[in-house]
Amino acid sequence: MRILGIESSCDETAAAVIEDGRKILSNVVNSQIDIHTLYGGVVPEVAARSHIEVINPVINQALSEANLTWDDIDAIAVTYAPGLIGSLLVGTLAARTLALLKNKPLFPIHHVEAHVYANFLNEQAPKFPMLALIVSGGHSQLVLFKDHGDYELLGQTQDDAVGEAFDKVAKIIGLPYPGGPSIAKAALVGDPYKYKLPKARMQNPYDFSFSGLKTAVLRTVQKEVGVDFTFPSHELSARLNDVQRADFAASFQRTAVETLIDRAEKAFNDYAPASVVIAGGVAANQELRRQLSDRLPLHIDYAPMNLCTDNAAMIATLGYYYAQKMEPTDPLDLEVVPSLSMTKTAWALNKSAN
Ligand code: KG4
Ligand code: ZN
């Protein structure tokens, strides 16, 4: 079964063709990073406009790179939740129109869950029960998958997502957007023990909180450069030198990564999963991978970097498993849902029927 996946929930326009949920026939990603770098973050209206400009060429490129025509495509899978509403609308409208025109079954996919499915493109598919640490710009969650579509949310962030914390801390210390990769790079030459930053304790041992850590970085930078807490945060970075910047990047990254792994280790000990996967943009972080492999007593197969950040291969991959158990959606009825937990989709709620 060949599925065309379409993704446009944030600032990447992507299309991919996946065969039987395993084989990548094409994987096209058009990133808007250059445009949003000008503003230091994603501007929703600019993102939606840019998706409109490239969505058709990106889909056509995915077909031509796979050497396929529409006759070879069995179904379309598209991200319908969660994300920026204007961005989601572009991808879903394209998918709905194509499903009608080309007479293809259409499957609605949850973006965050799809991040986990990047791991099903590894040489060995992960085994159930599978513990997933989901760490993106919008989500930080620990989810126990018993089977496809059958999972339990063990814990999640109570405030900022970890990727958001990387992005905000990068802004404070004067590193370019997106913050995750620039902090990881600066941290390579920094001292991870230079600044002592707090790890939040939560009532639910699997929950996270990153907003206190971000504020602690802000206060520590203010102290380091000798100003009080009323000093504007956007003027701080100019007072830091490169050594301080690298030490802050390394100290923040160490604390954020340890916070994630403490929770994952506890869930691993409590639930004894057969596999552990990490998913989402922050899963590209090498320090996270290194520390997780050090701390957990099982082999972890990591997805390649380009499948950790937003892409449509993961959408088509989840679409394949979805298509085994679910009826297609009527293209005339599919609506976007900008905010939706993966435990609340029709697919997840259908688990008793699975
Ligand atoms: O999953 P993603 O591409 O988009 C969302 O669905 O949110 O994640 C984007 C997030 C951003 O916050 C970015 O800074 C972070 O992933 N990120 C990283 C790295 N690469 C991307 N964070 C830490 N280390 C990285 N190497
Ligand atoms: Zn994402």
Side-chain angles (χ1 to χ4, degrees):
M1 183 179 202
R2 293 196 192 100
I3 299 194
L4 172 77
I6 299 176
E7 155 65 37
S8 72
S9 65
C10 188
D11 58 347
E12 259 95 27
T13 323
V17 182
I18 302 291
E19 192 166 72
D20 296 334
R22 299 236 15 100
K23 191 168 174 212
I24 302 177
L25 301 184
S26 64
N27 183 20
V28 180
V29 180
N30 183 83
S31 171
Q32 305 175 3
I33 281 182
D34 292 350
I35 309 171
H36 298 295
T37 299
L38 298 173
Y39 306 99
V42 177
V43 184
E45 289 77 10
V46 176
R49 203 171 288 229
S50 165
H51 285 306
I52 293 173
E53 282 167 15
V54 300
I55 187 91
N56 284 335
V58 164
I59 292 171
N60 288 337
Q61 195 182 336
L63 285 173
S64 72
E65 281 187 13
N67 251 325
L68 300 172
T69 68
W70 276 103
D71 287 345
D72 306 310
I73 299 295
D74 298 300
I76 300 173
V78 65
T79 305
Y80 79 109
L84 301 170
I85 186 164
S87 293
L88 286 167
L89 277 170
V90 178
T92 51
L93 267 176
R96 293 168 63 189
T97 310
L98 288 165
L100 280 172
L101 271 177
K102 309 288 181 188
N103 199 19
K104 305 288 175 188
L106 177 64
F107 298 108
I109 298 299
H110 191 278
H111 176 89
V112 179
E113 186 179 358
H115 268 298
V116 174
Y117 276 73
N119 293 284
F120 283 84
L121 290 165
N122 289 346
E123 205 150 290
Q124 295 261 314
K127 294 196 177 65
F128 296 112
M130 165 180 87
L131 178 67
L133 174 63
I134 304 174
V135 281
S136 74
H139 292 80
S140 308
Q141 298 180 323
L142 264 171
V143 183
L144 187 69
F145 281 70
K146 291 159 202 157
D147 197 350
H148 298 293
D150 183 1
Y151 38 74
E152 185 187 337
L153 180 65
L154 301 180
Q156 61 185 330
T157 183
Q158 297 301 303
D159 40 58
D160 292 352
V162 61
E164 206 177 339
F166 268 87
D167 294 335
K168 287 179 178 168
V169 166
K171 242 184 180 169
I172 295 170
I173 63 177
L175 294 172
Y177 165 88
S182 31
I183 286 197
K185 189 165 167 230
L188 289 173
V189 292
D191 173 2
Y193 295 94
K194 177 71 193 276
Y195 301 106
K196 201 163 163 25
L197 299 165
K199 289 189 205 165
R201 272 177 209 280
M202 311 299 288
Q203 213 163 27
N204 171 355
Y206 312 118
D207 274 348
F208 306 97
S209 161
F210 290 102
S211 103
L213 173 58
K214 174 201 67 192
T215 309
V217 171
L218 176 63
R219 297 284 173 257
T220 314
V221 174
Q222 286 167 331
K223 205 166 142 213
E224 180 79 10
V225 302
V227 297
D228 76 5
F229 69 94
T230 57
F231 191 85
S233 61
H234 61 272
E235 288 175 25
L236 275 175
S237 67
R239 301 193 174 205
L240 288 175
N241 62 38
D242 283 350
V243 174
Q244 291 168 314
R245 207 167 272 133
D247 289 345
F248 270 112
S251 301
F252 162 76
Q253 177 176 262
R254 177 182 66 81
T255 312
V257 164
E258 282 177 7
T259 302
L260 292 170
I261 293 178
D262 290 347
R263 309 300 196 267
E265 188 178 39
K266 171 144 183 59
F268 178 83
N269 292 334
D270 293 348
Y271 291 92
S275 67
V276 174
V277 300
I278 56 174
V282 183
N285 188 277
Q286 293 295 345
E287 184 58 19
L288 175 63
R289 293 173 176 218
R290 194 185 61 73
Q291 281 203 34
L292 194 64
S293 291
D294 270 5
R295 293 262 294 269
L296 297 189
L298 87 171
H299 173 76
I300 303 175
D301 264 337
Y302 294 107
M305 299 288 192
N306 67 323
L307 295 181
C308 288
T309 46
D310 286 352
N311 66 86
M314 65 186 195
I315 306 298
T317 303
L318 174 54
Y320 171 76
Y321 293 100
Y322 191 105
Q324 312 303 307
K325 292 181 177 176
M326 299 288 283
E327 289 299 314
T329 292
D330 183 341
L332 295 175
D333 287 346
L334 178 63
E335 305 238 8
V336 302
V337 189
S339 174
L340 179 73
S341 163
M342 61 188 265
T343 56
K344 298 280 187 316
T345 62
W347 160 241
L349 296 173
N350 186 50
K351 72 177 170 212
S352 49
N354 282 340

